Amino acid sequence: MIDALIQLDRRWIFLAMFLAVAIPVLLQPELPEQPTPIVQSVFDRIENLPSGSRVLMALDYDPASRPELGPMTRALTRHSALRGHRLFYITLWPTGVPMIDEATDILETEFADQYHYGENYLNLGYGAGQEAAIKLICTDLTKLFPADSRGRPFALWEIARGVNSLQDMDLTISIGAGYPGTKEWVQYAATPYPAIDLVAGVTGVSAPPQYPYYPQQLIGMLPAIKGAAEYEAALAARYGTAGEALPALLDERLAELSGPQRTRESITVEMAEAAGIEMAQVRRVLDGRINCLPRAEIKAFARVLEIEAEAILNAAIQDGADYSEDRDYPSNYLNYAHSDYQDALKRMAPQLSAHLLMLVLIVLGNVIFFLQRRRGVLP
Amino acid sequence: MVKRWKSVTAAGGRGRLTGGRGEPAMGSWGTPGLVAWVQGFPVVGQLVLLVVLGVMAQPLWGAPASPRGLRARDVRNDAGRALTLDWQLSPDDDVRLDPPRVAGYRLYRAEVTPEERPRFERIRDEQDLPPQVDEVVDEGLTPHQPYLYRLVAVDAEGRESAAAELDQPVRPEVWYFDRNKRWFLAITLLISAGILFFIRQARRGVELKIRKIAGLEAVDEAVGRATEMGRSMLFVPGIQDMNNIQTVAGITVLARIGRLTAEYDARIEVPTSRSLVMTTARETLESSYLAAGRPDAYHEDMSYYITDEQFGYVAYLTGYMVREKPAACFFLGAFFAESLILAETGNSIGAIQIAGTAEPAQLPFFVAACDYTLIGEEFFAASAYLSGEPEQLGTLKGQDVGKLLGGLLIAVGCLLFTYAHGADSPAAQRAVNYLRFQVLGTEDIPEEILEPGE
Amino acid sequence: MKRTIPIIIAAVAGLVMVVAFFVPPLIDWRETAEEWFNILAAVAMILGGASILAMHLRRISDQKRGWGFSLVTLIAFAITLSVGLFKVGVPPMAEYPDRPWTGEYITHGAPLWWIFQYLIVPITATMFSLLAFFVASAAFRAFRAKNAEAVLLLGTAFIVLLGRSYAGTLLTGWVPESYAALTLPGMTDTIMGVFNTAGQRAIMIGIALGIASTSLKILLGIDRSYLGNRH
């Protein structure tokens, strides 16, 4: 038995790791998270900036690190958009351009009503020159980015008004996977220019060397996917809606309407279509996230269901939907407690099982080591 | 109407000349000049003129109130290319107003020359400064050239307020030494002097004791083993270009390994992820083979380029290791996420592995999977250590001066900070701030930080 | 001569970099030196391309073992290069509809975008993911309690591995708020923020001094081994 373990083929370990990650990925159990202080300070910073503040996001990573850093880019983009900040995207990696597109896609879909290109967000694309590029934009942004990624001069965009350099940004976010990355942003931007406020998101491998910069040069940091998960948890706590009273009210009504041939799903789709609700929104109704719908659609839905519109609206508000100031959309339009918006939290279960497997492997390795020593195989 | 003109005149900027070396005021233009011109007419004529001017200025009624107190000052410690301008906001620039009365500020600049009247041109690429901004740095100027500025507030329709102006031109001064970096220079010189001192000592034949570095002692063993086994060796100079000092340090070790390889008649391959590193590695290997008296054994294909793409390069390297099973692997340079993939693969084929990097994040991976790891400064010491030349070894000793200085600063800083915190003494707090911002910092620090509570 | 000129170039360029840090009017010189490097590196790219071509063409012509892979490499190289260089399938910019090459080289839906999105992205992500497997095998093989230091390291690893996952919250979630520093996540934060930071700083100072002395050696021409052995 021991001999078998000593001779263990590495491929068995690989298989164990594969299973430890694959099974939770498929089962998707949800694990709660609490933001640690280093993550909370990033959240507080974005939360407390006045609406319309300028935020520059430097996405210095490539497809290889996208699975680890993509979720924090998305969470930070969503949070900034919820607060109404103006967003500038750049990358110092030539392979980082599609990472920006991924972030701006969120603004174009989830925040299509509020966010318009050139008005409150801008994609400046790739800037060559590594740390020299950082030094350059600290004093003059247009020297590195005379035009945005669409080739139109930077100065002509509305969002560019009053922006001369990185020092005009209210916050700079560096999401980096290596060189150039967070370390360079700290050394060449945040340290020499006290006016530049920097927060960062980094991969797990490169997180330990960045800790010395917190909290002086870095206001806060999201270390690895765990940091992103904590951020999502903070986002859900602030912008999530629970969705409890609403499905009960609807389920009751839908049960009355449904017959032997009509499932809850089919009747919901049917009713939503009758109310003229768009297909994209119908999914939200099915998920019990009606508290994310515009006021007009809720009223139309109530009409076809023959329920008092006020009853549904009140239930939605009770669930945390914020229709204050007579808004057409609830200000927390999307339910950020929903798993659709929690890519990092979803990965906490695979991460847990992988960590546990590592511990088992370390213990096993040591058992073998001591047995070998007892046998006198090792000194 | 008249009052309006006057108020603008009264608000004329207090432009200040740096170091008192600027040109004297070259006269007034714009609104003050206009008032003087009007005053030159008889009283009746003045009245008529004012009515006419009032009609002409009708659109100005809707324009916002002008900003006041425009000042310009030289940006310190620069190459004479920039001026800082500040002013008091227009009274109409109030965040509580909806719709806002002021949409932004527009800055005009004129070069002052003895030959012609200054011509004001709009600056900042036809862009206005946003509202609530009361300071801007104007860059890209010509050193020593006197400039005049004129600032107006504009509303959403683009109507300009009356202008705030400097009453004297201001010149950007060239600073030939960045005074904020004087302490930095002192520390740099001190460390460099320490290194040079020990190089001199070494040249004089003073015995310098350098501790043994196991990883470097093992280089000979690794090359020897590869020769015995008749297998090749793999040298990886990291994934950065020649402008990274780690790559340079890796190449200096390659020079030594190359020479041993030539002497033992072993085989070495140096695949690179940068073209420039490839050409450098070729040069280095060629010289090493020449130095070993085996120029005939050298051929260019020993070093070749794979790809700049990090993981493409890794794919090649791991593939090479699994197929060719090199007897020794050297990973010396800047490494990132690929460190463990490379080192574990090398370990699985039973190669002797020596790694060295100054990327702190990758050190644990190399330590876990390689036989020997050169940690940070050991890696930079490798070239001196392997050469055994006294003057190179002197540089290693010189680094200790830097360490001593670093340790001293840490100790002094900790004691001072603790004392200032506990004793609540402003003098100690000043000392802490001086140490933090002046000695260890390199930027302009506002006086209020250096002089707390004053 | 062949050695002297490069040493002079290195010394002058290095000196300009150092002096420009303290003397603002020289900043332009520094920027010029940096630009030269970028230009040289870009030109060297051609040498790199030639090296790839030469290596794989030789393998194919010698019919070495695995020469088929060299063929695949060359075909992929040629396709990617030409698709990118000639902006194949890239529509012109909206502002200049009659200028065919004005579009962005990696426009959404163009062949190069396709190559990037559906080949490079998954391939590199796969390579990066291999790390998980290698970390596991390294942990099994190398993490042994050989001596006192290794035991300390092992203990720390246990705390951080648990503290960085939900297990930490689960195991020590019952600890009252006032003792939060004693929970696994709390201890992880302390380890990362205090012990790790202290160690990292020490290593960084050592590295910085190593860089300073290496730079000085190269500037003064004491170490010329990067240009080949001096003897």
Side-chain angles (χ1 to χ4, degrees), chain A residues 10 54 62 64-65 93 95 130-131 139-140 142 154-157 160-164 168 177-179 183 191-194 205-209 216, chain B residues 103-104 124-125 127-131 136-137 139 240 243-244 274 309-311 336-337 344-345 347-348 358-362 365 436 442-445:
Chain A
R10 294 198 312 166
R54 300 190 193 100
D62 60 359
S65 335
W93 290 32
T95 43
Q130 284 112 20
E131 67 264 34
T139 51
D140 196 340
T142 48
F154 175 74
L156 297 182
W157 294 104
R161 283 164 55 109
V163 178
N164 188 36
D168 296 322
Y179 168 84
K183 189 174 136 196
T191 310
Y193 299 94
V205 180
S206 58
Q216 299 283 327
Chain B
R124 289 180 57 81
D125 304 327
Q127 270 194 86
D128 292 334
L129 294 159
V136 70
V137 178
E139 288 174 322
Q240 293 286 300
N243 60 344
N244 189 307
R274 305 285 160 147
E309 165 58 43
Q310 182 184 18
F311 287 104
F336 295 89
E344 267 297 293
T345 309
N347 187 285
S348 73
E359 294 297 330
Q362 307 309 326
F365 297 128
R436 244 181 99 181
T442 55
E443 283 307 305
D444 259 332
I445 303 301

Side-chain angles (χ1 to χ4, degrees), chain B residues 173-208:
Chain B
E173 300 296 332
V174 179
W175 295 69
Y176 291 99
F177 176 64
D178 187 343
R179 291 184 195 182
N180 289 327
K181 290 175 181 160
R182 57 190 187 276
W183 276 101
F184 194 101
L185 180 67
I187 293 171
T188 307
L189 289 178
L190 203 62
I191 293 174
S192 303
I195 293 171
L196 294 176
F197 172 77
F198 280 104
I199 291 176
R200 240 176 102 91
Q201 292 290 94
R203 277 187 183 149
R204 282 185 182 166
V206 177
E207 192 74 20
L208 298 172

Side-chain angles (χ1 to χ4, degrees), chain C residues 144-231:
Chain C
R144 303 279 158 95
K146 287 175 193 159
N147 48 39
E149 289 98 323
V151 173
L152 270 178
L153 201 66
L154 213 59
T156 318
F158 266 71
I159 296 172
V160 175
L161 275 171
L162 289 173
R164 279 243 160 267
S165 64
Y166 180 61
T169 322
L170 204 67
L171 289 173
T172 52
W174 50 271
V175 175
E177 189 74 13
S178 48
Y179 294 98
L182 295 176
T183 60
L184 282 167
M187 285 195 279
T188 304
D189 273 359
T190 311
I191 288 169
M192 297 304 281
V194 179
F195 299 105
N196 163 62
T197 300
Q200 295 283 355
R201 281 192 177 138
I203 291 178
M204 275 186 199
I205 291 173
I207 288 172
L209 288 168
I211 291 176
S213 108
T214 305
S215 309
L216 210 60
K217 276 190 295 185
I218 290 170
L219 275 183
L220 299 177
I222 294 172
D223 185 353
R224 303 167 194 184
S225 44
Y226 66 102
L227 296 168
N229 209 302
R230 61 192 307 213
H231 299 296

Side-chain angles (χ1 to χ4, degrees), chain B residues 9-74:
Chain B
T9 318
R14 289 182 290 119
R16 157 170 91 75
L17 294 170
T18 310
R21 281 182 294 158
E23 298 293 314
M26 304 192 63
S28 312
W29 297 276
T31 41
L34 190 69
V35 174
W37 180 65
V38 170
Q39 280 165 353
F41 285 84
V43 180
V44 180
Q46 273 188 28
L47 279 174
V48 173
L49 251 174
L50 284 175
V51 170
V52 172
L53 282 174
V55 172
M56 278 166 63
Q58 194 60 42
L60 277 178
W61 282 112
S66 86
R68 280 167 299 179
L70 179 67
R71 292 187 306 174
R73 60 181 191 278
D74 183 37

